[in-house]
Amino acid sequence: MQTIEQLLESKDIRVTAMRLLIYKFLAEKEVAVTLSDIEDAFEKSDRTTLYRTIKTFEEKDIVHQIDDGTGITKYALCEKGCNCEIETDLHLHFHCNNCNETICLTDHKIPQIKVPDGFVSENVNLVVKGICDKCSGQ
Amino acid sequence: MQTIEQLLESKDIRVTAMRLLIYKFLAEKEVAVTLSDIEDAFEKSDRTTLYRTIKTFEEKDIVHQIDDGTGITKYALCEKGCNCEIETDLHLHFHCNNCNETICLTDHKIPQIKVPDGFVSENVNLVVKGICDKCSGQ
DNA sequence: AAACAGATGCAATGGAAGTGCATTATTGGC
DNA sequence: GCCAATAATGCACTTCCATTGCATCTGTTT
Ligand SMILES: [Mn+2]
Ligand SMILES: [Mn+2]
Ligand SMILES: [Zn+2]
Ligand SMILES: [Zn+2]
């Protein structure tokens, strides 16, 4: 089991206090977060720093971006061995219309989608909306 | 076969020159369009009018909105008998990474998506990205 | 210590969606 | 046809989020 420091170093990311804190924040959250969520959690630091940190994480495949249709970009830590860029690895995302939270359903992979002749599928984005387990009351 | 005028009237939308023009513009396009696309086509009219026209069409189920992940909302005419609000009717959308256009694959319905116990699926958005038939060179 | 690279902070920008209100056009009753 | 009501249009402004330029700070290397 590697430490967060080791993970960052292995991805050629310099270890800073801020980066460790943001990583831990993401790791504790079980849902995808917006930049605003991170801002609220770290009011002392500047928005830009948080933004660039999350972008750095994204470039290095530590987090992946989620477009859940709310118009606000969300982010979540990648699972170990998650190859976000490979189509076959893509899991689906669930957005709760009640609590407004979005979560990764990491072990629900997107099924193979047929496209018409002449079309080449490279990537699929699938967001299911509805009521999450917490809100459905069971 | 009903005229555009008859269609609009049947949906309780007043027939105006602008609305007819925008409807025809959408009908001629085989791809989903952004508000900017409409703006470019009708430089004489104000953006707000175009915006509200498309919103009116959307409310009355004449067009449906498409979130293809580019961050810019796109719109396309509904097919005859397209019930956009019914989950089972939803077709999938294809976004070309080359020409950057998005099209409705109206006869490719979204497959049933399994969600974990406790989750209730109400709606699904599925966008396939890749290379379209025109760009794939066949 | 000096030099350098990268991280952080502040300010500003840009794009797109949305709204308030005045003006103009259309409709329906008379 | 005329008038009042109602809806459509145009203009200005706002809000929200994403993104960037540049100055400053911090940590590392020689
Ligand atoms: Mn995810
Ligand atoms: Mn469509
Ligand atoms: Zn919920
Ligand atoms: Zn194409």
Side-chain angles (χ1 to χ4, degrees), chain A residues 28-134:
Chain A
E28 281 164 10
K29 285 275 179 183
E30 72 286 7
V31 300
V33 301
T34 66
L35 188 57
S36 293
D37 292 333
I38 304 178
E39 267 186 271
D40 293 344
F42 301 100
E43 296 185 334
K44 297 292 178 56
S45 16
D46 188 75
R47 195 189 146 66
T48 315
T49 303
L50 305 174
Y51 172 76
R52 285 183 177 140
T53 299
I54 208 84
K55 285 296 164 190
T56 300
F57 283 179
E58 198 187 346
E59 276 169 26
K60 299 302 175 75
D61 293 327
I62 286 178
V63 304
H64 61 279
Q65 186 172 334
I66 302 163
D67 173 13
D68 62 8
T70 58
I72 303 168
T73 306
K74 297 187 178 171
Y75 304 91
L77 278 191
C78 294
E79 300 278 299
K80 290 155 271 304
C82 157
N83 284 23
C84 302
E85 67 282 0
I86 312 296
E87 174 174 6
T88 54
D89 188 78
L90 291 177
H91 55 270
L92 63 92
H93 293 119
F94 189 93
H95 176 76
C96 178
N97 290 324
N98 184 249
C99 65
N100 210 36
E101 289 192 332
T102 298
I103 65 172
C104 298
L105 298 179
T106 40
D107 39 73
H108 284 63
K109 303 302 181 195
I110 297 178
Q112 191 64 29
I113 304 293
K114 269 202 204 70
V115 290
D117 283 351
F119 288 80
V120 181
S121 166
E122 294 177 342
N123 201 286
V124 179
N125 182 38
L126 199 159
V127 179
V128 179
K129 302 195 182 211
I131 309 296
C132 76
D133 53 346
K134 284 172 190 150

Side-chain angles (χ1 to χ4, degrees), chain B residues 63-107:
Chain B
V63 304
H64 62 278
Q65 187 172 334
I66 302 163
D67 173 12
D68 63 6
T70 58
I72 303 168
T73 305
K74 297 189 178 170
Y75 304 91
L77 278 190
C78 295
E79 300 279 297
K80 292 154 269 303
C82 155
N83 283 24
C84 303
E85 66 282 0
I86 313 294
E87 175 174 5
T88 53
D89 188 76
L90 291 176
H91 54 268
L92 62 91
H93 293 120
F94 188 93
H95 176 77
C96 178
N97 291 324
N98 185 247
C99 64
N100 211 36
E101 290 193 331
T102 298
I103 67 172
C104 299
L105 299 179
T106 42
D107 38 72

